[in-house]
Amino acid sequence: MKKVLTIMCASLVGSAAYAADNCAAGKTLNEGVLTIATGNPAYYPWVMDDAPESKNGFEAAVAYAIANEMGFADDAVTWVRTSFDEAIQPGEKNFDFNMQQYSITPEREEMVDFSLPYYSSAMAVLTTQSVADKVGAPTLDALKGLVWGAGASHTGASMVGEVISPENDVLLYNDNTDVTAALQANQIDAALFDLPTALYLSAVVVENGALLGQFPAERSDNPDQFGALMADGSALKPCVDEAIQALTDSGKLAEIEAEWLQAATGVPVIE
Amino acid sequence: MTMSGEPPAMPGRRAQFEAAQRRRSMWVAGVSTTLVLVAILVLVPLAPGWEAVKKSFFNGGVFTKTFPGLLNAFLLDIAIFAWCAPLIALLGLFVAICRDIQRPALYPLRLFATVYTDVFRGLPVILVIYLVGFGVPGLGLPRPWNSPYIWGSLALILVYAAYVAEVIRSGIGSIHKSQSSAALSLGLSGADTMRYVILPQALRNVLPANMNLVVALQKDVALLSFVGPVEIFRQAGVYKSLYANFTPYVGAAVIFLAITIPMTRFADHLMNKRRKQEQ
Amino acid sequence: MLSLRNIQKSFGDHQVLRGIDLEVARGEMVCLIGASGSGKSTLLRAINLLDPVDDGEIWFDGVDIAEPGLDPQPIRQRIGLVFQSYNLFPHMSAADNVMLAPRRVKGLSKAAQRDRVAELFDRFGLGHRIDHYPDQLSGGQQQRVAIIRALAMQPDILLFDEITSALDPELVAEVLDVLRQLRGEGMTMILATHEMGFARELADKVCFLESGRILEEGTPDQIFDAPREVRTRQFLSQVL
C-alpha cells in the first residue's frame, strides 16, 4: 500500500502542470497524458494539413481547448488515428476520446458514449454550377426532382430521404471522393453534406462546384451535432462534458468556430 | 449390377461386417459433431467479450427493424443478377469461340479474345467496377446512358464473361478429337462441327463449373454498391451507421446464404451426376 | 474410280506412309491387312482428307483431291469413313446422329429424311433402336449406327478403319453381316481389318502393308494361300 502511494506521489510530482484535484486524474488511458484520436487522414477544415499537433483546424483547435480546460498542457496531448468503424467496434479503445465529425445519434449512443456537442452543423446541398443555374431558387419541390447522392456512412444518407424524399432512388457511395466523382460524371445532381465539408468540397474538389443552399440545424428533425466519441461507460465523460460546457459558456467555442468555419456564411437557407 | 434369384435370407459375412462398420462410423461421427457443437455453444458465450459482440452483431431488436429493408434491397441484387447472367453467357460463349478461330482473316478477333480474357481475369472485380462504373460516365455521356446501373453491370459482365469463356474453352478442349474427326469426315463444315457436335457436349461438361461462377456472381453483385446503387450490402452499411451496430451485416449474410447455399448444393449435385456419368 | 500414286505422309520425323500406290475400281472391295502401325489407318484418313498427305496424288473421279488448297468438304461428303471407336455423337439419338450431316450439308429436313433413315435402320436390324442414345446401345449396335450415318450421305466409296477391333467377339458377326450386305449391293469399299477370314471370303483384292508400303497385293487366294513375300508369310502365320 505504501509502495502504491509512493508511486502515485512520484507520478504527481512528475507532471508539474497537472493539478492534484483534476477531474481526469486516474481516468485517462495513460496517467497525465490525454490521448485524442482523429481520422486517418484528417482533413480541412477540421485539421489543417493532416497535422493536429499544429492546433490548426476546427477540431484540432477545439481538442486543445478541451484539453487545456481539463488541465492538460499542450505537450500532455498525444494523437492517434482510427477509422470510423474501428471506433465503434466492441472492445478496448486506444484513445481517451475521438474527434472526427461523429454525429451524435441515439442508436450510436447505445454502443459508445458521446460528449456534449462541440458543433451543430447545418446540412448543405453540394451541386455543380450548371445544375444550380437550372434549379434557380432552391425550393423543396425543385430539389425533389434531382438525382441525389450521399456518403453511405454519413447522416446525410438518411436525411435525404427524410427531409427531401426525392423522386429517384438515392445513390450512396463509400466516401466523399466517390460522391464528388459521381457528381462530376453527372450521375447525380446533388449531394447532402454537413456545411463545412460541403464548403471544402465545392471550393477545392468539385470542378464548377456550387452550394445550392443549406438546411439550418434547427430546421431538420435530426440536427447534426458532432460530439467527441468515448468508450461506452467512460469515466472521463463528465470531465470532457464539463470542459465543453465551460468553452460554450465562455464563448470560446463560438470563437474557434468563427475562426475556422467562417466560410459558412453566404449560403442561402432553403425553404 | 443386380444379383439374380432370391436374396439370401441371412446377410453374408461381408454384409454383416460392413453393417457393423457403418453403425460404428455413424456413432463416431454423431458423437464428435455433438462435442464440437456443445463446445461452441458453451465456450463462446464464456469469452469475456461475448456480451459486447452479441450486442453489436446479434442484436435481435436491430435485426427485426432492419431485416425487411434488407430483403427489399436484395431485390435489386436479384434484378442486377438477372440481367447480367444471360449477357455473361452470350459474351463468354462468343469469346470462347473467338479464341479457337483458325482462319487468318479473323485473327484480330482471336487476338482480341486472348487479350480480353488475360486482362479481365487478371483484375480484381472491384477495380473494374470502379474504373468502368466511374470512368466511362466521366467521359460525359448524357443521361440515362451514364447510369451506374448500366456501367456497373457492364463491369461485372466483362469480368465474368472472361471467366466463363475460359471455362467453356476448357470444355471445348475436353471433347475428344475423334468427335470432330467423325463430324468432318461426314462433310460437315468446321462451323457446323463446332455448333452441333462440339459445343453441345462441351457446354454440358462445364455446367457444374459455370454453376459455381453463377454463385460467385450472385455474391459479387454487391460490389456494384461501390458506384452508387443501394443494394443489400450498401443498405446494411447504412443501417450499420444509423444504429452503430453490425447486426444488419449478419442479416445480409443470412439472406445471401439462403440463396447461395441451395445454388452451391445444386452445383455439387450436377458435378456428382457428371462424375457418375463418366464412370 | 480411286487411284493412289506415291502417297507420302510423316508425323514429325516418323514417316508413316512411304509411297503407296493403289487402284480401286467401282464396286470393288479392297482389304488392307498388316500389323498395327503399318499405316492402314493413316492411309484411310488421308483418303478422307482428315490428315492431308505430304506428297503424291489421289485421283478420285478424275480429280486429284490431294491437291493442296482444295476445299475438303465436298470431297468428304462423297467418301465415307467409319471409325474403330464408332465416334457416335453421345448427345444425339441414333436417328439424329444419322440425320445431322444430310440436314446441314444437303439441306434435307428431318421430316424429309425420316422415312429413308427408318428404312436404313430396319435394313440393318436396328429399327427398334432408332431413338435410343449411344450409351443405351451395345458396341455392335453403335458401330452399325455409325455405318448407317456414313451411308446416309450416299457416298461413292466407304472406308472402314478396323471397325470390329473394339468389339467383344460375339458382336463382331453382326457388324460383318452389314458389310456383307453392302458388298452384295455393290458398294465400293476399302477396309483396314484384322478379320482374315472375312477378307478371304469377300475381298476382291488384299493388300499387305508393312512400314508404310504395300509389300504385296493380290486376290485373297494369292495372298492367303501363296504369299510371295517372307514378311507376308510371317504375318499371316501369326494371325491365322
Side-chain angles (χ1 to χ4, degrees):
Chain A
M1 198 61 203
K2 218 172 191 175
K3 203 173 174 188
V4 175
L5 280 173
T6 317
I7 293 173
M8 280 183 70
C9 291
S11 69
L12 286 176
V13 171
S15 50
Y18 191 69
D21 60 344
N22 194 292
C23 167
K27 296 173 185 167
T28 55
L29 219 52
N30 297 306
E31 196 53 36
V33 176
L34 187 63
T35 310
I36 309 177
T38 187
N40 191 12
Y43 46 85
Y44 170 98
W46 312 104
V47 173
M48 310 305 274
D49 303 323
D50 195 21
E53 311 78 25
S54 67
K55 292 199 245 177
N56 290 331
F58 176 70
E59 280 181 345
V62 171
Y64 277 101
I66 293 173
N68 296 157
E69 197 67 35
M70 287 168 72
F72 293 90
D74 287 357
D75 58 7
V77 173
T78 61
W79 290 89
V80 292
R81 309 292 183 132
T82 69
S83 71
F84 179 93
D85 285 359
E86 262 177 72
I88 60 169
Q89 266 161 9
E92 290 291 309
K93 309 286 186 230
N94 64 345
F95 50 79
D96 289 316
F97 62 81
N98 192 331
M99 292 174 74
Q100 44 177 314
Q101 309 106 57
Y102 282 108
S103 301
I104 303 170
T105 68
E107 292 87 356
R108 284 179 184 169
E109 251 167 342
E110 280 183 28
M111 309 303 302
V112 291
D113 275 0
F114 285 105
S115 69
L116 293 175
Y118 58 86
Y119 174 65
S120 290
S121 168
M123 294 300 280
V125 178
L126 175 70
T127 183
T128 56
Q129 195 56 52
S130 57
V131 175
D133 293 344
K134 218 163 49 191
V135 171
T139 63
L140 215 50
D141 273 349
L143 295 182
K144 274 188 208 298
L146 301 179
V147 179
W148 284 86
S153 58
H154 294 153
T155 320
S158 50
M159 229 187 113
V160 172
E162 283 166 24
V163 179
I164 303 166
S165 41
E167 289 153 15
N168 298 298
D169 285 346
V170 178
L171 296 172
L172 298 182
Y173 300 89
N174 275 4
D175 53 35
N176 296 349
T177 319
D178 288 357
V179 180
T180 52
L183 196 63
Q184 214 88 75
N186 195 29
Q187 288 177 309
I188 56 175
D189 294 319
L192 209 55
F193 289 101
D194 56 86
L195 182 58
T197 306
L199 278 167
Y200 163 70
L201 292 174
S202 81
V204 180
V205 177
V206 179
E207 211 176 308
N208 291 321
L211 291 187
L212 208 48
Q214 59 174 314
F215 296 96
E218 61 274 17
R219 288 279 177 90
S220 66
D221 295 342
N222 186 11
D224 214 15
Q225 294 187 313
F226 294 172
L229 180 149
M230 287 161 280
D232 202 13
S234 166
L236 202 60
K237 178 172 156 55
C239 311
V240 178
D241 282 351
E242 197 184 305
I244 291 176
Q245 192 59 55
L247 290 170
T248 311
D249 294 346
S250 68
K252 175 92 166 118
L253 208 52
E255 239 172 72
I256 297 173
E257 194 177 321
E259 183 181 358
W260 294 108
L261 303 177
Q262 60 193 208
T265 53
V267 178
V269 170
I270 297 170
E271 185 38 22
Chain B
M1 280 286 155
T2 51
M3 300 247 277
S4 57
E6 288 288 305
M10 282 286 290
R13 285 167 66 190
R14 162 70 40 188
Q16 279 179 20
F17 173 73
E18 280 173 359
Q21 283 279 9
R22 241 187 336 266
R23 273 195 300 276
R24 196 181 128 74
S25 33
M26 277 174 72
W27 189 81
V28 170
V31 167
S32 66
T33 309
T34 315
L35 279 177
V36 170
L37 281 180
V38 166
I40 291 173
L41 290 177
V42 171
L43 291 181
V44 169
L46 289 181
W50 170 245
E51 277 309 315
V53 167
K54 203 169 112 185
K55 198 173 160 200
S56 62
F57 283 89
F58 303 99
N59 189 317
V62 173
F63 188 87
T64 337
K65 267 185 275 181
T66 56
F67 197 72
L70 291 176
L71 264 184
N72 194 39
F74 191 62
L75 293 181
L76 181 58
D77 290 78
I78 292 179
I80 293 169
F81 170 81
W83 69 61
C84 284
L87 293 171
I88 288 167
L90 284 179
L91 181 61
L93 184 60
F94 173 74
V95 171
I97 291 171
C98 283
R99 288 203 67 175
D100 281 332
I101 283 176
Q102 302 293 340
R103 278 191 213 170
L106 297 178
Y107 181 74
L109 266 184
R110 184 175 174 173
L111 182 69
F112 154 78
T114 310
V115 172
Y116 169 83
T117 45
D118 281 356
V119 167
F120 283 97
R121 283 192 314 154
L123 288 173
V125 187
I126 182 62
L127 203 61
V128 180
I129 288 181
Y130 255 117
L131 292 179
V132 177
F134 276 138
V136 178
L139 297 175
L141 292 169
R143 287 205 192 133
W145 301 111
N146 65 357
S147 156
Y149 294 96
I150 294 179
W151 296 103
S153 300
L154 182 75
L156 269 187
I157 291 166
L158 287 173
V159 171
Y160 270 83
Y163 283 102
V164 167
E166 276 309 288
V167 166
I168 291 178
R169 209 166 79 98
S170 78
I172 292 173
S174 76
I175 303 303
H176 198 270
K177 205 150 175 0
S178 63
Q179 285 286 310
S180 67
S181 286
L184 291 173
S185 79
L186 290 164
L188 284 170
S189 67
D192 277 353
T193 299
M194 179 56 87
R195 179 170 158 205
Y196 290 96
V197 176
I198 307 299
L199 265 188
Q201 299 185 57
L203 293 180
R204 205 175 51 171
N205 283 359
V206 297
L207 191 60
N210 273 331
M211 271 305 291
N212 284 334
L213 284 177
V214 165
V215 175
L217 172 66
Q218 180 63 69
K219 292 181 295 180
D220 277 354
V221 163
L223 295 176
L224 237 67
S225 65
F226 282 68
V227 292
V230 185
E231 51 65 65
I232 185 167
F233 176 67
R234 173 64 80 210
Q235 188 62 56
V238 170
Y239 285 141
K240 176 208 69 182
S241 306
L242 193 62
Y243 294 100
N245 192 295
F246 291 88
T247 306
Y249 282 138
V250 176
V254 167
I255 293 173
F256 267 114
L257 288 178
I259 295 286
T260 51
I261 287 184
M263 280 163 83
T264 314
R265 300 310 328 155
F266 183 61
D268 283 0
H269 166 74
L270 287 178
M271 194 105 65
N272 285 335
K273 212 167 98 181
R274 184 88 237 130
R275 207 169 290 136
K276 272 189 200 127
Q277 275 174 2
E278 272 158 15
Q279 276 164 5
Chain C
M1 108 183 282
L2 186 72
S3 173
L4 309 186
R5 313 234 172 103
N6 190 29
I7 297 299
Q8 314 255 357
K9 173 75 183 171
S10 301
F11 292 114
D13 289 340
H14 180 53
Q15 202 175 358
V16 187
L17 302 178
R18 303 163 183 255
I20 300 265
D21 294 292
L22 179 66
E23 296 287 334
V24 182
R26 191 173 295 278
E28 229 180 8
M29 174 164 156
V30 175
C31 283
L32 309 175
I33 62 171
S36 303
S38 59
K40 306 188 295 290
S41 290
T42 308
L43 183 58
L44 294 182
R45 290 175 66 91
I47 298 172
N48 186 257
L49 305 183
L50 277 179
D51 292 332
V53 299
D54 298 338
D55 214 344
E57 297 162 7
I58 304 176
W59 290 91
F60 175 62
D61 256 7
V63 180
D64 178 11
I65 60 172
E67 178 85 34
L70 201 75
D71 179 11
Q73 224 189 302
I75 312 291
R76 288 180 187 143
Q77 291 162 24
R78 300 176 56 197
I79 304 179
L81 174 58
V82 183
F83 300 84
Q84 177 176 351
S85 52
Y86 340 132
N87 300 359
L88 290 183
F89 308 135
H91 58 298
M92 294 182 189
S93 71
D96 286 342
N97 261 278
V98 172
M99 292 190 287
L100 175 66
R103 184 158 65 88
R104 294 302 305 167
V105 175
K106 298 184 173 173
L108 296 171
S109 72
K110 282 191 190 184
Q113 295 184 58
R114 184 77 194 185
D115 287 347
R116 204 171 52 82
V117 168
E119 189 197 318
L120 277 171
F121 274 80
D122 282 339
R123 207 162 97 208
F124 298 114
L126 287 172
H128 59 305
R129 293 280 189 241
I130 187 164
D131 288 321
H132 283 55
Y133 280 79
D135 61 2
Q136 299 168 312
L137 300 174
S138 72
Q141 291 168 335
Q142 288 192 54
Q143 194 57 291
R144 281 185 282 161
V145 172
I147 295 172
I148 295 172
R149 182 172 70 178
L151 272 177
M153 285 300 287
Q154 299 177 305
D156 298 321
I157 182 166
L158 267 181
L159 315 175
F160 298 90
D161 186 6
E162 302 194 21
I163 60 169
T164 55
S165 299
L167 295 177
D168 291 338
E170 73 271 19
L171 301 176
V172 170
E174 63 187 56
V175 173
L176 293 183
D177 280 345
V178 170
L179 296 183
R180 206 167 273 124
Q181 219 171 318
L182 292 174
R183 174 89 177 99
E185 291 163 10
M187 172 61 76
T188 311
M189 298 189 277
I190 307 179
L191 279 77
T193 186
H194 288 301
E195 298 293 331
M196 297 304 157
F198 181 78
R200 181 167 202 165
E201 173 197 340
L202 289 176
D204 295 301
K205 179 157 62 180
V206 176
C207 305
F208 173 66
L209 269 76
E210 171 157 291
S211 308
R213 286 196 187 86
I214 295 181
L215 209 60
E216 185 170 0
E217 66 174 89
T219 63
D221 290 346
Q222 282 170 354
I223 297 293
F224 290 109
D225 295 337
R228 290 189 312 270
E229 299 288 333
V230 179
R231 287 294 301 127
T232 315
R233 273 199 294 275
Q234 282 172 345
F235 172 75
L236 287 174
S237 70
Q238 279 161 7
V239 296
L240 285 178

